[in-house]
Amino acid sequence: MSKAPRADAQASAPHAADRHDLIRVHGARENNLKDVSIEIPKRRLTVFTGVSGSGKSSLVFDTIAAESQRLINETYSAFVQGFMPTLARPEVDVLEGLTTAIIVDQQRLGADPRSTVGTATDANAMLRILFSRLGKPHIGPPSAYAFNVPSVRASGAITVERGTRKTERATFERTGGMCPGCEGRGTVSDIDLTQLYDDTRSLAEGALTIPGYTPGGWNYRLYTESGLVDPDKPIRKYTKRELADFLHHEPERMKIAGINMTYEGLIPRIQKSFLAKDKEGMQPHIRAFVERAVTFTTCPDCDGTRLSEGARASKIRRISIADACAMQISDLADWVRGLDEPSVAPLLTALQLTLDSFVEIGLGYLSLDRPSGTLSGGEAQRVKMIRHLGSSLTDVTYVFDEPTIGLHPHDIQRMNDLLLQLRDKGNTVLVVEHKPEAIVIADHVVDLGPGAGTAGGTVCFEGTVDGLRSAGTVTGRHLDDRASVKDSVRTPTGALEIRGASNHNLRDVDVDIPLGVLTVVTGVAGSGKSSLVHGSIPSGEEVISVDQGAIRGSRRSNPATYTGLLDPIRKAFAKANGVKPALFSANSEGACPTCNGAGVIYTDLGMMAGVSSTCEDCEGKRFQPSVLEYLLGGRDISEVLAMSVTDAEEFFGSGEAKTPAAQRILARLADVGLGYLSLGQPLTTLSGGERQRLKLATHMGDKGGVYVLDEPTTGLHLADVEQLLGLLDRLVDSGKSVIVVEHHQAVMAHADWIIDLGPGAGHDGGKIVFEGTPADLVAARSTLTGEHLAEYVGA
């Protein structure tokens, strides 16, 4: 009897395994973090706030999530690690209590031309199985419905030897669903030969005008030394045979310049090297060439469906797989719900769940055949969420980067419910966020700051939302800020007429967008805002469109090179020292020869994580020592590139270094709220909102009269939204017309004119449900936007 109490005592004591309920970060120094130490509760929803550039992403993505992923990768064999992205250990002293991290970020989905919403999720694979079981006439296995799988037929003796046994197979056949005309792309390309070469010249005279085909290079020698064409004869004088060999020759192994190479006609070679990639993923000069030389038209064989004739002919209840993929997902979900087939019941249940997840997350307006490269960052993030919603995993860390981007206030409530749903399954949810509606649902808040860049990187507050309100930090002070509707609005100076707009889901829309004022186009996600603004406004010299797309630049590009700021700086250094400007470019003559001007040396360790280390010769300064001897205003070029925009504006504003051309560009960068960026910071480290504001600063000097902005508040802290509104006002007051696609109520309240699209998304939207002033919209409360705006301004 005496043993029983002891057993009870043991049962009530906490188990050692239950003590690990915190993620501990000690001494984090990634990017601008200043020795940050925090404790994050597990199985709770933690929101990270702070002004843009305060270090939120450095702490959440570059430290916690990066180390979790690196540790998981190390559990794989060296062979498997060789195929995985290489990750270096973040700058941090201690990281304890980490769990598996799943990052759901805003990186656009793969820009492969054959990648669609259906292939990016599991929906397409399940539909293919469904059609292979129920489709009439039956045409084959699931691969027969896949536009990524070509049909293959091979005949001839194939011998397989296993020990002493030999097996012979006479034929091999596979039925794929790929349209043979467009190879599953849905479009066919027509190449303008005049853009490939100058036919009055010979190859020896440099006839080819294709990027990468420079005389003397291997691409060029393939043709000049093949022996199939005469390199000294002008192309227009080629015989039919020579022209066919030059343009259309089938791949053939031959000795060229003493080396075994594959000779191929110019057109198939261009199709493989340029047209197999998505245009959006190309370098700017290659994209310019493709736009100039190639026209894309809908494939006449498959009518843009990407599928073979057989796949299009097989149907379930008069619907083919092409019809199913073209349907709006909310309609497709209803169609699948109506299929009652006990033989595929588990499959129907799984497909139903996936399609319902799309609707639940606010993406019911998409279709499965929508190319994934055309989704916005917010849409891409929500598509990635779908595969995690029905997951059975628990005790996982989910990391979200501003999940409310691109969401109407009406949809934010849904997103909040999904985040709480993930938490309630026993997961740790970490969210980087600026919207007050998303911050208030947090169990725990970490506020970073107090400023941006070098003025940030410290934890200003850690605790509950109520604690944040009374903490007196920048976020706390602005959390309950509410803009009020303008008393008086500007009078338009004219109107931009749009007639019969029917892009995507727009329903023959007629609208006059007033000029000379601040116009906000709003409506729920998928209501047709972007289709109206980007697809229907006539683009000309007058219209300057600034979006959040990635700035195509390597890790060598920085704000100074992108904005053209480096040119006046180089000239000022050259003039002051009597030398040539090229010396002051890290991509040209002045570059450190050891690291080629990168400042760091990237070492690829093959099967292990690659390492980047500061170059020992130039100590990360990127220039040769002799270049650093030339000074301007007492500073060398590397010191100038290390300055923030604010410091540089002061430096180039007066004294010996006074450079009005540089000063003008720097003033524009400060104007859009990027005063904290350093001039030499690689563009690859900028967020979506920072990229858009950098583009805006670059375009502010342009002559255009109409500015079109796509959600400029993305990534902006509540305190910075006021600064943005001031900037938009200054643009309008200087005689420009500003059209903004936006969900932020503060921007709506500040508008002179609102155009509200809806009433729903996809085919339930595409109509104009309100036009007028913000005050009228609040008074009428006739639309979803009107209701939320009225609630926001407290009307």
Side-chain angles (χ1 to χ4, degrees):
M1 289 295 286
S2 61
K3 286 182 182 176
R6 213 168 33 234
D8 283 347
Q10 279 180 336
S12 61
H15 194 287
D18 294 333
R19 288 191 220 126
H20 304 281
D21 53 359
L22 291 171
I23 295 174
R24 290 188 182 82
V25 181
H26 191 82
R29 295 178 300 281
E30 268 301 302
N31 301 329
N32 67 335
L33 295 178
K34 295 174 183 163
D35 227 15
V36 166
S37 299
I38 58 164
E39 293 187 341
I40 301 164
K42 282 190 188 172
R43 294 174 285 283
R44 295 290 181 273
L45 173 62
T46 301
V47 172
F48 293 79
T49 61
V51 296
S52 306
S54 59
K56 303 181 297 297
S57 297
S58 301
L59 177 59
V60 180
F61 290 95
D62 302 343
T63 305
I64 298 170
E67 179 64 355
S68 171
Q69 289 212 311
R70 190 183 74 83
L71 293 172
I72 290 166
N73 288 2
E74 284 190 351
T75 63
Y76 297 111
S77 68
F79 174 75
V80 173
Q81 284 184 49
F83 297 99
M84 300 175 87
T86 50
L87 304 164
R89 188 182 187 280
E91 279 280 312
V92 60
D93 295 334
V94 181
L95 266 175
E96 284 179 346
L98 290 178
T99 71
T100 307
I102 292 175
I103 298 174
V104 189
D105 60 13
Q106 290 173 37
Q107 291 296 322
R108 300 282 173 110
L109 289 167
D112 185 278
R114 292 200 194 97
S115 175
T116 64
V117 170
T119 59
T121 55
D122 295 331
N124 222 301
M126 290 189 271
L127 263 183
R128 291 202 302 269
I129 299 169
L130 186 68
F131 272 85
S132 71
R133 300 286 187 277
L134 306 180
K136 299 278 188 304
H138 175 74
I139 57 163
S143 63
Y145 297 89
F147 57 76
N148 287 331
V149 180
S151 292
V152 178
R153 285 181 185 79
S155 57
I158 302 165
T159 308
V160 182
E161 289 188 27
R162 285 204 180 114
T164 54
R165 284 187 304 133
K166 284 187 180 182
T167 315
E168 283 201 8
R169 285 162 64 186
T171 58
F172 168 73
E173 199 168 304
R174 179 183 65 198
T175 308
M178 180 186 283
C179 164
C182 61
E183 297 187 341
R185 291 196 184 92
T187 56
V188 286
S189 52
D190 192 18
I191 297 175
D192 180 359
L193 297 179
T194 61
Q195 299 294 335
L196 306 188
Y197 54 77
D198 176 356
D199 67 356
T200 62
R201 295 180 175 196
S202 67
L203 288 175
E205 292 168 338
L208 297 183
T209 54
I210 306 164
Y213 284 70
T214 45
W218 274 114
N219 282 335
Y220 217 90
R221 291 176 69 182
L222 194 67
Y223 297 99
T224 55
E225 301 184 28
S226 65
L228 293 174
V229 293
D230 183 347
D232 299 311
K233 189 198 289 189
I235 293 175
R236 63 166 51 167
K237 293 192 175 167
Y238 280 6
T239 62
K240 273 188 180 173
R241 179 61 192 269
E242 279 181 315
L243 197 60
D245 282 341
F246 176 51
L247 292 177
H248 304 290
H249 198 286
E250 293 286 320
E252 184 186 333
R253 294 291 288 172
M254 56 171 72
K255 235 185 180 70
I256 297 174
I259 299 168
N260 282 328
M261 294 179 73
T262 300
Y263 178 87
E264 188 173 20
L266 192 61
I267 286 179
R269 198 172 160 80
I270 282 174
Q271 282 172 328
K272 281 178 191 164
S273 56
F274 292 143
L275 304 187
K277 299 189 187 99
D278 184 69
K279 223 165 44 173
E280 292 307 307
M282 295 174 180
Q283 291 172 292
H285 69 291
I286 306 259
R287 194 166 71 252
F289 162 73
V290 170
E291 282 168 356
R292 201 171 60 237
V294 186
T295 52
F296 294 92
T297 50
T298 303
C299 171
D301 294 354
C302 66
D303 203 21
T305 60
R306 307 160 178 253
L307 289 157
S308 65
E309 198 177 341
R312 299 197 310 276
S314 178
K315 298 186 176 185
I316 302 173
R317 297 193 183 173
R318 298 197 297 283
I319 296 283
S320 71
I321 191 165
D323 301 330
C325 290
M327 275 186 197
Q328 187 166 307
I329 290 174
S330 55
D331 294 343
L332 181 61
D334 292 339
W335 179 74
V336 171
R337 205 173 278 115
L339 297 177
D340 183 21
E341 288 289 339
S343 61
V344 286
L347 175 69
L348 284 172
T349 308
L351 179 58
Q352 189 65 60
L353 270 172
T354 302
L355 296 174
D356 286 344
S357 297
F358 272 102
V359 179
E360 193 181 332
I361 211 163
L363 292 177
Y365 60 88
L366 295 178
S367 61
L368 294 182
D369 63 3
R370 168 98 173 249
S372 56
T374 64
L375 298 179
S376 68
E379 285 171 333
Q381 186 176 27
R382 299 203 292 286
V383 165
K384 289 177 198 169
M385 267 185 93
I386 282 166
R387 62 183 53 218
H388 304 303
L389 289 179
S391 170
S392 308
L393 291 173
T394 61
D395 258 332
V396 170
T397 301
Y398 285 99
V399 187
F400 291 95
D401 185 9
E402 285 194 68
T404 59
I405 278 185
L407 287 184
H408 186 271
H410 169 68
D411 299 316
I412 290 178
Q413 188 56 52
R414 264 181 177 169
M415 178 58 74
N416 285 349
D417 292 344
L418 292 169
L419 295 174
L420 294 170
Q421 205 177 308
L422 283 173
R423 177 203 66 185
D424 294 346
K425 273 169 127 185
N427 297 307
T428 306
V429 182
L430 309 182
V431 183
V432 171
E433 192 50 87
H434 290 294
K435 293 258 173 79
E437 302 99 312
I439 295 171
V440 294
I441 63 161
D443 301 310
H444 188 73
V445 179
V446 177
D447 190 22
L448 284 113
T454 49
T458 59
V459 174
C460 301
F461 172 81
E462 220 183 324
T464 62
V465 176
D466 288 335
L468 176 67
R469 282 198 171 96
S470 54
T473 66
V474 179
T475 308
R477 286 199 304 274
H478 288 275
L479 193 61
D480 294 316
D481 276 6
R482 293 293 179 264
S484 53
V485 175
K486 271 188 184 170
D487 296 329
S488 60
V489 294
R490 300 179 183 92
T491 310
T493 55
L496 196 63
E497 292 184 4
I498 294 176
R499 294 290 175 267
S502 52
N503 252 20
H504 302 307
N505 66 331
L506 294 178
R507 301 196 197 169
D508 209 19
V509 169
D510 295 341
V511 64
D512 291 343
I513 298 178
L515 295 176
V517 298
L518 174 59
T519 304
V520 170
V521 180
T522 185
V524 295
S527 58
K529 303 180 299 298
S530 298
S531 303
L532 181 69
V533 172
H534 296 300
S536 308
I537 291 179
S539 58
E541 291 166 23
E542 280 294 297
V543 179
I544 293 165
S545 185
V546 187
D547 63 7
Q548 291 180 29
I551 293 171
R552 283 166 191 87
S554 64
R555 49 192 173 205
R556 290 175 166 280
S557 308
N558 53 47
T561 58
Y562 181 76
T563 56
L565 172 65
L566 203 55
D567 289 339
I569 292 178
R570 280 200 304 247
K571 284 174 185 160
F573 265 97
K575 191 175 175 186
N577 294 285
V579 291
K580 55 184 176 179
L583 282 175
F584 303 99
S585 168
N587 297 329
S588 186
E589 289 182 32
C592 161
T594 312
C595 62
N596 290 327
V600 287
I601 292 174
Y602 296 94
T603 313
D604 184 6
L605 298 178
M607 62 192 185
M608 290 163 61
V611 175
S612 65
S613 52
T614 305
C615 172
E616 290 177 10
D617 288 9
C618 67
E619 296 173 348
K621 292 180 178 173
R622 304 173 60 193
F623 293 89
Q624 296 173 18
S626 57
V627 174
L628 300 180
E629 289 170 14
Y630 300 118
L631 303 180
L632 175 69
R635 303 284 185 100
D636 66 43
I637 183 73
S638 73
E639 289 173 324
V640 167
L641 288 176
M643 286 180 182
S644 69
V645 168
T646 315
D647 295 342
E649 194 179 1
E650 199 178 311
F651 177 72
F652 288 109
S654 58
E656 187 200 334
K658 187 169 183 178
T659 313
Q663 171 83 7
R664 277 196 298 276
I665 297 172
L666 288 161
R668 291 204 290 266
L669 284 169
D671 215 8
V672 296
L674 294 177
Y676 60 89
L677 283 189
S678 68
L679 305 186
Q681 183 176 336
L683 290 188
T684 47
T685 62
L686 300 188
S687 68
E690 285 169 337
R691 286 197 295 259
Q692 187 180 23
R693 298 202 293 288
L694 183 60
K695 288 180 189 175
L696 178 59
T698 310
H699 287 302
M700 270 171 67
D702 292 358
K703 297 275 189 293
V706 180
Y707 281 75
V708 177
L709 306 181
D710 195 353
E711 288 194 61
T713 58
T714 297
L716 274 189
H717 187 265
L718 300 160
D720 298 326
V721 172
E722 286 174 29
Q723 191 180 354
L724 177 81
L725 293 174
L727 169 68
L728 297 179
D729 276 342
R730 287 197 297 282
L731 275 174
V732 175
D733 294 338
S734 69
K736 312 281 188 195
S737 303
V738 181
I739 301 166
V740 183
V741 173
E742 190 54 87
H743 292 293
H744 202 296
Q745 292 104 316
V747 181
M748 290 182 209
H750 200 75
D752 297 308
W753 192 255
I754 285 188
I755 296 171
D756 192 14
L757 281 121
H763 61 47
D764 299 325
K767 289 193 267 193
I768 291 191
V769 290
F770 177 83
E771 285 180 84
T773 64
D776 293 343
L777 179 64
V778 168
R781 292 193 185 210
S782 57
T783 68
L784 276 172
T785 307
E787 284 172 29
H788 283 278
L789 186 59
E791 197 180 312
Y792 175 82
V793 298

